[in-house]
Amino acid sequence: MKKTFFILWALLSSLCVVGALIACWLEPSWMGAGLVLLAGYYSLCFFQFIRALCQPWGLLGPRRRAGYWFCLLLLPLALLPLHAAFEIWQQGGYSAERMGNVGILIATPLLAWLQDLMGYLGPMLLLASLGLAFAVGLLRLLKTQVVR
């Protein structure tokens, strides 16, 4: 089973990294370079996560290394609300039609209500505080996990 997971990881990881490299090669930009770095980061974290899960103690033992790598896997997701807040700042206000991806994260009526109450700073501050709280919570949880 361990070999199956590593073979699956190798196939998916190589596809993602090669795809990101090709995209960066065809259109060089900072966004493409960030995509290559993100693909490499997830490749490393998933490899270490699978390796830690295959240890005899797994998730629940005294040396919970898998929790450490799982927290590192989730850490870039804290940037999604911050990116949505940046889009609101660029547009000069929250618009449900233009911000379709934010409706998935948080209820659209709440952001519209905050827009009416505080102006465009309302939804922007809420999303930024959610992103920062998620990142700080994951970093605090990382301290409780075993690294070795």
Side-chain angles (χ1 to χ4, degrees):
M1 192 67 165
K2 179 179 177 180
K3 289 182 182 182
T4 305
F5 282 126
F6 280 121
I7 290 171
L8 185 63
W9 165 82
L11 290 174
L12 292 175
S13 176
S14 61
L15 281 175
C16 289
V17 171
V18 168
L21 283 171
I22 289 172
C24 187
W25 181 265
L26 293 176
E27 280 188 44
S29 67
W30 289 108
M31 181 81 102
L35 185 64
V36 170
L37 288 175
L38 188 66
Y41 174 79
Y42 271 113
S43 175
L44 172 72
C45 285
F46 270 113
F47 174 75
Q48 294 292 344
F49 182 65
I50 292 169
R51 200 177 112 210
L53 277 178
C54 292
Q55 298 296 328
W57 49 83
L59 278 174
L60 303 175
R63 300 182 202 125
R64 307 175 300 278
R65 289 185 220 166
Y68 177 79
W69 292 105
F70 186 69
C71 288
L72 285 179
L73 282 170
L74 293 179
L75 195 56
L77 294 179
L79 294 176
L80 292 177
L82 294 174
H83 178 68
F86 177 70
E87 286 180 357
I88 290 172
W89 176 70
Q90 275 185 326
Q91 294 173 358
Y94 174 72
S95 172
E97 294 83 31
R98 290 186 286 177
M99 300 288 294
N101 58 351
V102 178
I104 296 170
L105 297 174
I106 295 176
T108 304
L110 175 65
L111 293 175
W113 176 74
L114 281 172
Q115 171 100 6
D116 293 339
L117 188 66
M118 299 176 63
Y120 79 94
L121 282 177
M124 194 170 77
L125 289 175
L126 176 70
L127 289 170
S129 63
L130 279 175
L132 290 175
F134 186 52
V136 167
L138 281 173
L139 290 174
R140 291 190 66 174
L141 189 59
L142 273 173
K143 289 181 184 179
T144 65
Q145 303 299 315
V146 176
V147 181
R148 294 183 267 146

